[in-house]
Amino acid sequence: MLRALAVDDERPSLEELLYLLQADPRIGSVEGAGDATGALRRITRALESGPEGPDAVDVVFLDIQMPGLDGLETARLLTGFAHPPLVVFVTAHEDFAVRAFDLKAVDYVLKPVRKERLAEAVRRVAELRGSAAAPRIPVHEPDPDHMPVERGGVTRFVAVDDITHVEAQGDYARLHTDRGSHLVRIPLSTLEDRWRSRGFVRIHRRHLVALRHIGELRLGAGTVSVLIGDEELQVSRRHTRELRDLLMRRTTG
C-alpha cells in the first residue's frame, strides 16, 4: 500500500486530490500540505524515518505553480536526497512537462484531474515501488489510426494522417499538425518504429517527419533541409541518403 503526500496551495484542488487518492485501493494513507514549505518539513521527517519507517512517504503528488518555492524547485531539492519519494506533478499547465521529466517525475497529470487519469499515475508509482498489491489495468491495443492526446484534463484523438512531424522533447514527443501541437508521453524512437509503415521517416535525432507532408527538399552548401508547411527542418547527414531515396521512390512510384 502506497503512502502519499498531496501538495497544492489551492484548498479546493487539494481537497479534491485527497478525495480521489483516498478512493484508490492502492493508496494506504495520504496527507495534504498547502505549500512547499510544509511539504518539505513532512518529507524531511519521512526521510529521517527511512523507507520502512512509520513516517515514510512513497510518492508526492505535487502542484507546480505555488507561492514561494514552486513545485519544480521542490522536486529539484528532493533529487539531492539518497532515497527521495517518487514525484507526480499535478498542474493546470502543460508547458512545464519537459522540465518536470528532466527531474525524473513519474507522471504529469493535468487539471482538472480525472479519476481515470490519476489512477494511471498511481499504477505507474505502484509498479515502480514493486507493489504486489497493485491491480493490473487491462492493456488494450492502440488504435493505429489515431493518437490519444490530453489537454486540459480532456483526452482527444488526433488522426495520424494529420500529423506533419514529431519533435523529441525528453521522454515526451510533440506531435505537430496544421492546427497546432500536442505533447504525449512516448519516446520518439517508439513512434518511429510504430509509424514507419505509414510513411514517417527519421531525419534528425530530434525529428520524425511524414513524407506526404514534405513540401520541398532544400539542398544548400553542405546542408539539407525539408519544408513542412512554413517550417524548415534540418536533415542530419546520416539520414540524408535514406530520405532522398524514399522521396525519389514516392515520386517515381
Side-chain angles (χ1 to χ4, degrees):
M1 301 290 283
L2 296 170
R3 297 154 295 186
L5 174 66
V7 187
D8 198 313
D9 65 300
E10 297 179 354
R11 191 66 193 178
S13 296
L14 178 59
E15 290 177 352
E16 176 69 11
L17 183 56
L18 289 171
Y19 172 78
L20 291 173
L21 289 171
Q22 288 165 352
D24 193 301
R26 292 162 293 199
I27 301 292
S29 63
V30 58
E31 301 174 48
D35 56 30
T37 302
L40 286 173
R41 281 199 296 265
R42 178 63 184 88
I43 294 168
T44 299
R45 196 166 83 244
L47 294 171
E48 291 172 349
S49 175
E52 303 302 326
D55 291 327
V57 173
D58 297 308
V59 56
V60 181
F61 292 84
L62 187 59
D63 188 22
I64 287 183
Q65 290 194 320
M66 296 185 291
L69 198 66
D70 68 21
L72 292 171
E73 293 167 330
T74 302
R76 191 171 291 110
L77 288 175
L78 294 181
T79 62
F81 292 97
H83 302 287
L86 299 174
V87 173
V88 173
F89 285 104
V90 182
T91 176
H93 306 278
E94 69 170 10
D95 301 340
F96 299 103
V98 174
R99 292 168 61 190
F101 282 98
D102 284 343
L103 294 169
K104 309 303 181 185
V106 176
D107 209 341
Y108 191 91
V109 179
L110 291 175
K111 297 178 182 180
V113 178
R114 293 182 296 111
K115 179 181 178 180
E116 296 80 5
R117 182 64 184 86
L118 186 62
E120 169 64 13
V122 173
R123 181 191 68 79
R124 291 174 178 172
V125 171
E127 284 191 346
L128 287 173
R129 283 297 184 200
S131 173
R136 296 289 180 177
I137 296 176
V139 176
H140 302 285
E141 287 298 318
D143 178 355
D145 297 321
H146 295 85
M147 170 63 73
V149 300
E150 202 171 301
R151 174 167 289 180
V154 177
T155 300
R156 297 179 174 86
F157 293 87
V158 175
V160 175
D161 288 345
D162 290 340
I163 297 171
T164 60
H165 60 290
V166 187
E167 179 184 2
Q169 294 188 348
D171 292 333
Y172 268 57
R174 184 168 291 279
L175 312 177
H176 292 267
T177 72
D178 291 337
R179 293 181 294 276
S181 67
H182 308 275
L183 202 62
V184 294
R185 188 180 184 182
I186 187 168
L188 193 66
S189 57
T190 300
L191 294 180
E192 180 184 10
D193 292 339
R194 184 183 298 178
W195 291 344
R196 184 177 290 110
S197 62
R198 302 184 68 104
F200 283 81
V201 61
R202 191 76 162 256
I203 64 166
H204 190 275
R205 64 182 178 82
R206 292 192 60 215
H207 289 112
L208 182 70
V209 303
L211 292 174
R212 61 185 169 277
H213 288 291
I214 294 178
E216 294 180 12
L217 178 66
R218 296 181 172 181
L219 306 177
T223 64
V224 179
S225 62
V226 293
L227 191 66
I228 298 180
D230 296 327
E231 190 168 359
E232 185 174 359
L233 303 176
Q234 294 297 313
V235 182
S236 66
R237 189 171 300 175
R238 63 176 294 200
H239 295 294
T240 298
R241 182 172 180 177
E242 179 189 9
L243 177 63
R244 293 180 67 173
D245 289 347
L246 287 170
L247 289 174
M248 286 294 294
R249 266 181 265 162
R250 287 180 67 88
T251 56
T252 57

